Amino acid sequence: MGVGFFAGPVRLVREYLITAVAEAGGSVAGSGVYKRKNMVTLTARPAADYRFTGWYDTKGSLISTANPFNFAATKEMKLTAKFNLI
């Protein structure tokens, strides 16, 4: 009896951790583990007397001012929602 090998295509399902955090003045929703290329929706909720100003990456660069912010998961990300007092 021989040893058999499966020679079919191997598909790896990649998953990415998307983390949303809020600075003072609001809260966020949408963090989680997403399969590769699945849509992510991050929502920033300003507290009373605050307004949302944008999503920033870990280097402090502005990524988007959209709220909610929709994008496809292609890598692990940590985004911070910033708010300003009105």
Side-chain angles (χ1 to χ4, degrees):
M1 219 173 205
V3 176
F5 292 95
F6 176 72
V10 175
R11 297 184 72 197
L12 298 176
V13 176
R14 291 211 163 110
E15 294 181 331
Y16 301 105
L17 176 61
I18 307 297
T19 304
V21 296
E23 285 194 340
S27 62
V28 294
S31 293
V33 176
Y34 293 85
K35 290 182 180 178
R36 185 174 182 263
K37 295 189 180 179
N38 278 7
M39 290 305 295
V40 177
T41 299
L42 300 182
T43 304
R45 297 183 182 115
D49 298 326
Y50 283 85
R51 69 178 171 87
F52 171 72
T53 60
W55 294 102
Y56 292 79
D57 67 13
T58 57
K59 295 178 182 176
S61 298
L62 177 64
I63 300 301
S64 178
T65 58
N67 188 29
F69 177 35
N70 299 300
F71 60 96
T74 59
K75 62 182 179 179
E76 290 200 343
M77 297 178 72
K78 180 178 180 182
L79 297 174
T80 301
K82 293 189 178 186
F83 305 90
N84 280 342
L85 187 60
I86 299 174

